[in-house]
Amino acid sequence: MRSPLLLVIVLVVAGCSEADPVASSAATAAPATTTSTSAPTTTTTSTTSTPAPTTTTSTTTTTQPPPELLGLSLEVAAEIDRVLAIAAPQGDGRVFLAQRAGTIHIIEADGLVRDEPFLDITDRVRAGGIEQGLLSLTFHPEYAANGRFFVYYTDANDDTVLAEFSVTGSASLADPGSERQILVLEQPTERHNGGMLEFGPDGFLYVAVGDGGDGGHNGQKPDTLLGTILRLDVDGETPYAVPAGNPFVAGGGAPEVWAYGLRNPWRVSIDEDHIYIADVGQSDLEEVTVLPLAAGGANLGWAYREGSACFNSPECEETDTVLPTVEYPHGEGCSITGGLVYRGEAIPELRGTYFYSDWCQGWVRSFRFAGGVATDQQEWSDLDPGQVNTFGTDGMGEIYIGTWGGGVLKLVPVRAEE
């Protein structure tokens, strides 16, 4: 599946193994190194500012379109291994990197990695096996005013914890002692933890939870919190409130559950009024399902279905399930890494494009969601980031990729010279 790189990305591979899962310490960002790929058709736009009605003179300003987009490349932004989550408060010039072992590091606005971690909770995070650790990070929509952020991690009991931390006063680092545990999920095994966190435009926190590696028994049980997308109001009661519009508030499932029928949702993302859910398959198929946020209560099918196919279940055809928007067979990969929709400024031609990857094959693909279906599907064949753990953005909407081998890579345009 991989295509040769046009140029080589220099990645520093940490000397950690599964026997020694503690990741390496942060290092200063490496000089940018790139790999490029062909671009889709370029579109250009212009904007005109109109003077106010009371103005007697007319001034028109036209924004020049950028030079032709020739392709995309990956710049090395930092060399930190096992980064599982990348996030930033909106408009913030920094990028926050959640490392599997339990630390969060900062790429400062000048591109350098801060020596001291933003948060260190390695004393309470278990990073055993391959699916445990500090799994996700997101910032409260009002972070600039309240200093609140949220993480999802595996604890010493092999259970998963949704917790809030805070930065107070003029402090630039988080206080490990500020932890407020919101939810503890008892896990039947060390696998299928899911763990993506993201706030929706409704102000509620969406939490992607795997089925716990229980052989598929939890997938079709909306009364359990495993194998679901939860929707919580973390600004309401303590430890949280259930939004009144959740689909099972009146019964039929756990009131926290917003959607169910998931196996291991490894990265979900919210774009405007839709949620993109990437669910790791078991035998044959990997999938992405795009749902409108108004569609609470959806059943995504596991374990009656794997992707669009029935999965050893006579109930498959009798159950109302949502079919995936995009799927691919295990001949093309083995474990999907969900991504996100590009909304940055550097590549206006690709705004509205969803990027994702496969952990085993390392390719990068994209599509646009329009009219209820995936359009403009494309594989960026010369982008070869390696084993992709996660996608994330900085505060301006530019995309970053975290890899297992140690590279934190920024997606940047390659343009024709002016």
Side-chain angles (χ1 to χ4, degrees):
M1 288 295 300
R2 295 187 185 178
S3 301
L5 292 175
L6 298 182
L7 295 174
V8 177
I9 295 179
V10 179
L11 296 179
V12 175
V13 179
C16 299
S17 66
E18 286 309 306
D20 179 17
V22 179
S24 66
S25 60
T28 300
T33 328
T34 63
T35 173
S36 63
T37 185
S38 58
T41 303
T42 303
T43 60
T44 59
T45 59
S46 63
T47 58
T48 303
S49 59
T50 304
T54 56
T55 304
T56 56
T57 60
S58 177
T59 302
T60 300
T61 303
T62 301
T63 301
Q64 294 298 320
E68 179 187 1
L69 181 66
L70 301 180
L72 298 176
S73 65
L74 297 171
E75 291 183 352
V76 178
E79 293 172 346
I80 304 175
D81 74 340
R82 313 297 197 261
V83 169
L84 299 188
I86 301 171
Q90 186 174 4
D92 198 301
R94 301 167 296 172
V95 183
F96 295 76
L97 312 173
Q99 200 174 23
R100 179 172 177 254
T103 54
I104 299 175
H105 300 280
I106 299 175
I107 303 177
E108 297 284 6
D110 59 7
L112 298 179
V113 177
R114 185 173 184 147
D115 290 334
E116 187 176 5
F118 173 70
L119 178 70
D120 186 343
I121 53 171
T122 52
D123 60 344
R124 66 201 80 171
V125 172
R126 173 166 288 177
I130 198 172
E131 298 187 25
Q132 296 182 325
L134 176 53
L135 301 176
S136 192
L137 161 71
T138 195
F139 292 88
H140 191 278
E142 303 297 327
Y143 173 80
N146 62 31
R148 299 166 62 197
F149 66 97
F150 300 81
V151 300
Y152 182 99
Y153 68 87
T154 311
D155 70 8
N157 297 317
D158 291 327
D159 297 326
T160 47
V161 177
L162 169 63
E164 176 185 322
F165 288 85
S166 62
V167 176
T168 58
S170 60
S172 60
L173 301 177
D175 177 10
S178 67
E179 179 175 10
R180 179 175 74 91
Q181 292 193 353
I182 296 171
L183 188 64
V184 178
L185 295 167
E186 184 176 345
Q187 295 289 348
T189 75
E190 66 177 30
R191 306 194 67 188
H192 300 183
N193 292 319
M196 189 68 183
L197 306 176
E198 188 158 354
F199 281 92
D202 50 17
F204 299 135
L205 180 62
Y206 290 73
V207 185
V209 183
D211 69 3
D214 70 332
H217 299 297
N218 286 320
Q220 290 300 309
K221 296 178 180 178
D223 57 342
T224 176
L225 302 188
L226 299 178
T228 68
I229 305 291
L230 309 178
R231 186 169 71 161
L232 309 176
D233 179 0
V234 294
D235 294 321
E237 300 172 6
T238 301
Y240 61 84
V242 173
N246 276 15
F248 300 113
V249 167
E256 296 92 341
V257 171
W258 181 82
Y260 67 104
L262 293 161
R263 181 177 181 270
N264 189 23
W266 188 245
R267 309 298 85 174
V268 304
S269 63
I270 295 173
D271 178 64
E272 298 179 340
D273 57 354
H274 285 80
I275 184 169
Y276 292 67
I277 304 169
D279 200 14
V280 178
Q282 177 161 316
S283 299
D284 299 308
L285 295 168
E286 305 294 310
E287 61 185 278
V288 180
T289 304
V290 185
L291 295 174
L293 289 177
N299 180 357
L300 278 73
W302 176 256
Y304 290 169
R305 290 185 181 273
E306 180 188 38
S308 61
C310 288
F311 189 79
N312 300 327
S313 173
E315 295 93 346
C316 173
E317 299 296 347
E318 302 171 6
T319 305
D320 185 16
T321 60
V322 178
L323 297 181
T325 306
V326 167
E327 63 183 16
Y328 62 90
H330 278 189
E332 300 176 13
C334 80
S335 182
I336 191 168
T337 299
L340 40 78
V341 176
Y342 178 75
R343 293 293 178 187
E345 298 294 328
I347 322 173
E349 301 92 335
L350 296 182
R351 286 195 197 112
T353 299
Y354 175 80
F355 289 87
Y356 65 105
S357 184
D358 184 87
W359 195 80
C360 300
Q361 292 295 329
W363 41 251
V364 175
R365 292 178 178 176
S366 66
F367 66 85
R368 293 176 184 266
F369 185 72
V373 298
T375 65
D376 299 331
Q377 296 191 56
Q378 179 170 342
E379 180 164 337
W380 300 86
S381 57
D382 291 319
L383 290 182
D384 189 5
Q387 291 177 296
V388 175
N389 294 333
T390 193
F391 290 75
T393 68
D394 60 20
M396 313 302 172
E398 302 302 328
I399 289 180
Y400 289 72
I401 296 173
T403 71
W404 185 260
V408 178
L409 313 172
K410 183 179 181 180
L411 190 70
V412 297
V414 176
R415 297 193 178 277
E417 294 185 6
E418 296 187 70

